[in-house]
Amino acid sequence: MDRKCAEEGCERPAAVELHLPWADNRLVCAAHGRMLGREDGVVADPVGDGSSLLEGDESE
């Protein structure tokens, strides 16, 4: 079950769960996780085994 990034218009797989004090938690891709995780009070936790954090990983 591949989950997609919760950000509008993004089709990347979800790699990070953002814990937002002002809203519900969201699953986002690594790129959005890096950007949104910089906001005060946000905690970003990786989801799964971490393989979806590496875009274009063809080692499998």
Side-chain angles (χ1 to χ4, degrees), residues 8-40:
E8 187 174 332
C10 185
E11 294 295 319
R12 294 183 184 115
V16 177
E17 181 176 9
L18 294 180
H19 300 274
L20 308 166
W22 58 86
D24 291 334
N25 294 352
R26 288 191 296 201
L27 293 172
V28 297
C29 67
H32 282 111
R34 281 191 301 271
M35 181 180 69
L36 298 169
R38 295 179 181 171
E39 295 183 34
D40 285 343

